[in-house]
Amino acid sequence: MKPGSVIVDISIDQGGNCEITEPGETAVKHGVTIEGIKNIPGMLPTSSTWMFAHNIYNLVKYLTKDGAIALDMDDEIVQGTLTTIDGKLVHKGALEAMNK
């Protein structure tokens, strides 16, 4: 890598992606800054919780009309998220996995 480049090794808790990353440290080696931040998700619990809640809110909002669930079975998002309906398995990937 060129001097001045930066590596942020986000998988340091699982052994890392860069052999010379120092867990929990910021180091400069060969002119490259290597960031070995440990437990990145744990540093942002409020942000990750908010993001998850916001995503779920938007999905529910998308799937409802006038306060009631309104599933458009031709919609790609509905097809990708719905596994069963009315006792029938309808998810394409699940059907393929079960050879149906």
Side-chain angles (χ1 to χ4, degrees):
M1 296 183 79
K2 294 181 181 179
S5 297
V6 177
I7 297 171
V8 179
D9 196 341
I10 62 172
S11 70
I12 194 63
D13 295 316
Q14 290 78 39
N17 287 324
C18 179
E19 188 173 316
I20 58 176
T21 301
E22 296 177 22
E25 303 290 328
T26 299
V28 178
K29 297 183 180 181
H30 311 287
V32 175
T33 301
I34 305 169
E35 188 68 58
I37 301 172
K38 294 171 94 178
N39 192 17
I40 291 174
M43 295 172 59
L44 306 169
T46 302
S47 297
S48 60
T49 300
W50 178 89
M51 182 181 69
F52 179 73
H54 194 67
N55 286 342
I56 295 298
Y57 167 79
N58 283 318
L59 177 61
V60 171
K61 184 178 173 185
Y62 183 83
L63 297 175
T64 59
K65 293 203 182 353
D66 299 321
I69 296 174
L71 300 178
D72 175 0
M73 298 305 292
D74 294 322
D75 184 278
E76 182 179 357
I77 294 171
V78 173
Q79 291 174 7
T81 58
L82 190 62
T83 304
T84 64
I85 190 165
D86 297 328
K88 296 178 186 174
L89 183 63
V90 294
H91 188 271
K92 181 180 176 184
L95 289 167
E96 289 174 4
M98 297 176 73
N99 294 319
K100 293 191 179 219

